[in-house]
């Protein structure tokens, strides 16, 4: 008898140049390349075990230190259909039970699709190593290829296979060597619960925005500038470019048809706090926002004091989740 339960974990990631809009809708081919920093402290875990039926099913995983995920029917269908696809890639047959959980609360508006789809892809690969036929074919899958497979389930998950930096262009992501190998991360949780417009819907709607004209060129240009700013260790310049890119994405949302938005008065307050810190110290965190109201902050290692100070101020009016050792709850 081989192993009966396979398990894999994968981290989340935060994009500094955003993936927004698809060139090819069904397979999550992005309209532009994106760059992300991997968030090692925000992790999803997936366990797969054979069941007695010919069908696959999904269940929340209950384990200390993890919050069971609550998936909608649509969410389950998406997760299971990605598993079906992986089973055919790795030539696995039979019915399985998939269990998953995050080490961060699932109701706090933190996107978990990147980490959970990456963990599912990794876990199915582990099953494939033991049960897939022929074994050599499964063994030959490199990390870059797992990233491509994962992209088909959830676009941003393809960046979660590399750390600390991942660059996703076209089919899949790859690691990229950049300075700032260890950054502190905090996220100000402004809104919890379900978003009115999912990121899948956002990818479609932004194509209707007048501002989508030129988005691909702008994002590409900004990416090149950001890579060079990071390589030059020019933190201020990198911060400005990251700031511009998330506003660019949010402007697409606000000018889509029908228009929508995630920015809330509290998000703006957090962003103003960040600006205040920069104004006062001439230094501060890199701020960015995904398709949601939460504000992500990245700090250099030598900015721990700033992180503690800003984290404490933000904790006064919202929940803050942070890298271990910083102000902000550990997930
Ligand atoms: O992977 P998706 O389809 O959930 O898209 C994620 C899009 C953003 O989080 C808004 C930006 C990004 O690049 O992660």
């Amino acid at each position: 008898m081989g192993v009966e339960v396979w398990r894999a974990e994968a981290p989340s990631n935060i994009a500094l140049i955003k993936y927004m809009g698809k060139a090819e809708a069904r397979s999550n081919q992005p309209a532009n390349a994106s760059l992300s920093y991997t968030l090692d402290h925000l992790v999803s875990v997936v366990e797969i075990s054979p069941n007695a039926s010919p069908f696959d099913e999904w269940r929340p995983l209950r384990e200390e230190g993890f919050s069971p995920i609550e998936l909608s029917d649509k969410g389950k269908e998406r997760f299971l259909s990605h598993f079906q696809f992986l089973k055919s890639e790795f030539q696995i047959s039979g019915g399985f039970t998939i269990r998953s959980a995050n080490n961060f609360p699932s109701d706090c508006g933190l996107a978990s699709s990147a980490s959970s789809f990456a963990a599912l892809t990794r876990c199915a690969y582990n099953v494939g190593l033991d049960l897939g036929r022929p074994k050599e074919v499964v063994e030959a899958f490199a990390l870059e290829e797992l990233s491509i497979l994962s992209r088909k389930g959830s676009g941003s998950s393809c960046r979660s296979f590399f750390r600390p930096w991942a660059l996703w262009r076209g089919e899949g992501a790859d690691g990229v060597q950049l300075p700032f190998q260890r950054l502190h991360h905090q996220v100000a949780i402004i809104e919890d619960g379900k978003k009115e417009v999912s990121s899948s819907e956002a990818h479609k709607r932004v194509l209707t925005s007048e501002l989508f004209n030129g988005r691909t060129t702008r994002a590409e240009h900004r990416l090149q500038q950001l890579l060079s700013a990071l390589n030059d260790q020019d933190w201020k310049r990198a911060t400005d470019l990251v700031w511009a890119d998330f506003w660019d994405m949010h402007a697409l949302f606000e000018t889509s048809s029908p228009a929508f938005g995630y920015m809330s008065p509290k998000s703006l307050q957090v962003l103003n706090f960040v600006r205040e810190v920069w104004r006062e110290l001439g230094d501060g965190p890199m701020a960015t926002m995904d398709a949601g109201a939460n504000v992500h902050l990245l700090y250099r290692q030598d900015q721990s004091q700033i992180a503690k100070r800003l984290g404490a101020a933000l904790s006064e009016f919202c929940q803050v989740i942070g890298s271990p050792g910083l102000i902000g709850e550990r997930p």
Side-chain angles (χ1 to χ4, degrees):
M1 278 292 278
V3 198
E4 286 287 292
V5 181
W6 293 267
R7 182 181 167 100
E9 291 188 6
S12 183
N13 69 75
I14 181 73
L16 303 186
I17 297 294
K18 305 293 178 183
Y19 150 53
M20 185 44 59
K22 301 180 187 182
E24 213 279 276
R26 270 189 317 121
S27 66
N28 300 333
Q29 286 274 5
N32 63 274
S34 55
L35 177 76
S36 63
Y37 184 81
T38 300
L39 303 175
D40 283 323
H41 64 115
L42 302 180
V43 170
S44 294
V45 59
V46 167
E47 282 191 3
I48 299 177
S49 50
N51 66 32
S53 86
F55 305 108
D56 300 320
E57 55 166 11
W58 176 85
R59 295 259 178 273
L61 175 73
R62 299 188 192 282
E63 184 176 307
E64 217 187 299
F66 287 89
S67 311
I69 299 174
E70 293 302 332
L71 283 184
S72 62
D73 287 347
K74 213 167 153 196
K76 274 181 221 168
E77 198 186 299
R78 205 176 137 210
F79 211 51
L80 288 176
S81 110
H82 184 57
F83 182 55
Q84 280 282 343
F85 161 71
L86 294 167
K87 275 175 33 179
S88 74
E89 285 292 315
F90 301 134
Q91 299 187 35
I92 302 166
S93 51
F96 294 84
T97 300
I98 302 172
R99 292 191 167 79
S100 56
N102 299 327
N103 75 343
F104 50 95
S106 62
D107 60 353
C108 68
L110 279 181
S112 60
S113 87
S115 51
S116 51
F117 276 77
L120 177 60
T121 305
R122 275 183 178 278
C123 199
Y125 168 75
N126 292 342
V127 179
L129 286 178
D130 287 328
L131 303 185
R133 298 282 177 271
K135 190 177 164 63
E136 315 81 73
V137 172
V138 181
E139 269 174 351
F141 276 89
L143 215 49
E144 289 76 10
E145 286 165 298
L146 294 185
S147 164
I148 292 173
L149 296 182
S150 204
R151 184 207 82 224
K152 297 188 181 175
S154 149
S156 55
S157 75
C158 77
R159 297 185 307 236
S160 281
F161 290 78
F162 306 94
R163 60 164 60 91
W165 298 100
L167 180 60
W168 170 23
R169 190 185 287 289
E171 291 273 308
D174 207 346
V176 53
Q177 271 300 323
L178 289 169
F180 307 116
Q181 294 273 309
R182 279 187 62 222
L183 296 173
H184 293 304
H185 171 253
Q186 276 170 343
V187 53
I189 309 289
I190 308 299
E191 231 154 61
D192 40 25
K194 216 174 129 14
K195 298 189 280 194
E196 262 172 47
V197 177
S198 66
S199 59
S200 315
E201 177 63 21
H203 284 294
K204 288 186 209 149
R205 282 214 214 158
V206 292
L207 304 181
T208 66
S209 162
E210 191 194 312
L211 301 179
F212 197 76
N213 262 328
R215 162 67 189 161
T216 310
T217 317
R218 285 197 305 279
E220 185 58 41
H221 183 59
R222 209 172 275 134
L223 172 63
Q224 293 313 323
Q225 289 180 303
L226 180 59
L227 290 170
S228 102
L230 290 170
N231 271 317
D232 294 346
Q233 305 200 28
D234 188 341
W235 183 257
K236 165 83 174 98
R237 186 162 158 61
T239 296
D240 289 345
L241 290 160
V242 170
W243 183 274
D245 202 64
F246 89 74
W247 277 107
D248 191 350
M249 180 177 77
H250 281 257
L252 296 177
F253 301 153
E254 302 286 348
T255 51
S256 289
S257 163
F260 62 105
Y262 303 100
M263 194 72 65
S264 85
K266 271 189 150 189
S267 317
L268 289 172
Q269 259 177 292
V270 173
L271 295 173
N272 278 332
F273 261 112
V274 173
R275 272 212 281 238
E276 273 306 305
V277 169
W278 269 98
R279 215 169 282 145
E280 191 191 318
L281 305 176
D283 193 15
M286 204 174 255
T288 189
M289 294 173 68
D290 270 346
N294 299 332
V295 181
H296 292 259
L297 302 172
L298 291 170
Y299 303 84
R300 305 184 310 268
Q301 285 292 304
D302 63 298
Q303 290 178 314
S304 301
Q305 288 314 316
I306 305 179
K308 284 185 181 152
R309 193 184 121 188
L310 188 53
L314 295 177
S315 306
E316 297 283 312
F317 76 103
C318 67
Q319 186 191 1
V320 179
I321 291 180
S323 315
L326 281 192
I327 295 276
E329 291 163 35
R330 290 187 65 144

